[in-house]
Amino acid sequence: MKFRFVLMLLGWRLRWLGRHNEGFRQQLEHRDVLMQWRTFDGRVARWYHFTPQGVKHGAGLHGAPTMTLNFRDADYAFRTLRASGKSQMVFMEGMQGGDIKVEGDPGQLMWFMTLMKFIMPGKKKR
C-alpha cells in the first residue's frame, strides 16, 4: 500500500512541476518518454508520460512503455525508494541481485535520475 501511495504522490508532484517549474519544464524539451514503475507481478503499477507539454500519469500497466522499472514486490520497492534518498547504490545493488529489473532503454532511467533535484520540495525562503 505504501508503494502505491508513493507512486501516486510522485505522479502528482511530476505533474505539478511540469506546470510550475521552469527548470523542470526545460528538462522535458524534446522528450517523449513513457516510464512505468511496477512490481514483478504487476499488482502495483503506475506510468508517467513525459512530453514537452508536461507530465501525465495513471494507475495500472501501460501497453507501450519506453522503459519499465520492475521491483520484486511492493514492500521491497518502498524500502528501496526510501533508502535511495541516502544512497543511489541501493538501486545498483537491487539490479545486481535481481530484485530490480529495467526493461527498455536504461538511458531513460538515467535521465529520470537527473530530475530528482526537482522532486523533493525545497525549503521556503523567508
Side-chain angles (χ1 to χ4, degrees):
M1 191 64 164
K2 292 177 187 177
F3 181 48
R4 189 181 313 264
F5 185 66
V6 167
L7 293 180
M8 186 174 59
L9 287 177
L10 177 61
W12 290 344
R13 179 70 177 157
L14 292 170
R15 185 176 64 196
W16 187 90
L17 287 166
R19 292 179 180 165
H20 298 98
N21 187 293
E22 183 61 34
F24 185 84
R25 281 196 305 268
Q26 288 176 359
Q27 296 297 314
L28 299 179
E29 289 179 8
H30 311 294
R31 292 284 172 178
D32 186 5
V33 175
L34 203 146
M35 183 177 289
Q36 181 167 255
W37 294 33
R38 60 173 283 180
T39 56
F40 284 174
D41 64 11
R43 282 202 249 171
V44 179
R46 191 157 198 96
W47 54 267
Y48 309 95
H49 192 183
F50 301 89
T51 67
Q53 291 75 37
V55 181
K56 293 180 183 178
H57 62 101
L61 297 171
H62 193 281
T66 308
M67 191 283 282
T68 301
L69 188 59
N70 298 282
F71 293 91
R72 177 182 70 209
D73 58 47
D75 288 334
Y76 175 79
F78 179 75
R79 288 191 321 272
T80 301
L81 292 176
R82 194 167 169 210
S84 69
K86 296 176 185 133
S87 171
Q88 295 289 328
M89 286 304 295
V90 295
F91 269 94
M92 295 303 286
E93 292 166 0
M95 285 188 235
Q96 290 172 345
D99 296 319
I100 300 173
K101 294 182 182 174
V102 177
E103 295 174 18
D105 183 359
Q108 301 302 337
L109 179 60
M110 300 308 292
W111 168 76
F112 181 79
M113 293 301 182
T114 68
L115 301 178
M116 296 306 287
K117 64 185 173 197
F118 297 103
I119 293 174
M120 293 305 294
K123 295 181 180 176
K124 293 194 180 206
K125 297 176 185 171
R126 295 179 185 205

